[in-house]
Amino acid sequence: GPIGKLLVDDVWTLPVGEFEPIPVPDFPELPPEVERELSNDARYLYRICLAIISGNVPDTLASAKIGKMVQSRWLTLASRVCRLYVSCTCDDANLRHLSPT
């Protein structure tokens, strides 16, 4: 569909839009030492989820490259969905529903 076609592109090149934050009151806060031990892909997903929750995407996170789109890599797929979400200024219920936060 249209969202899937956008996910294969370089989503990190899209400007961050005025997206609607998604509150998740019980989202876990990892201590810095635990976050440092995550793989790069897992750390990116954790940080983009925090950004969606807070409504604030740091520039370094917005421009960080994400691995290639491979359907067997759910972590990369989830990261791409989240990055696309923060680029949208519309209230796309389908995209919001896909966001893992």
Side-chain angles (χ1 to χ4, degrees), residues 1-17 19 41 44-45 48 52 57-70 74-89 95 98:
I3 293 175
K5 289 177 184 173
L6 292 171
L7 292 176
V8 297
D9 292 334
D10 294 341
V11 293
W12 59 87
T13 62
L14 298 170
V16 173
F19 65 94
D41 290 340
Y44 179 87
L45 182 57
I48 196 74
I52 289 173
V57 182
D59 291 339
T60 55
L61 187 62
S63 62
K65 290 187 178 181
I66 305 169
K68 290 184 178 182
M69 175 73 173
V70 180
W74 65 268
L75 204 60
T76 303
L77 175 61
S79 294
R80 286 176 168 271
V81 168
C82 288
R83 181 57 181 86
L84 184 60
Y85 179 78
V86 301
S87 299
C88 290
T89 55
L95 190 54
L98 287 174

Side-chain angles (χ1 to χ4, degrees), residues 32-52:
E33 62 273 8
V34 173
E35 187 179 339
R36 279 191 298 272
E37 291 185 22
L38 296 174
S39 69
N40 289 336
D41 290 340
R43 189 177 321 110
Y44 179 87
L45 182 57
Y46 175 72
R47 289 178 179 171
I48 196 74
C49 286
L50 289 175
I52 289 173

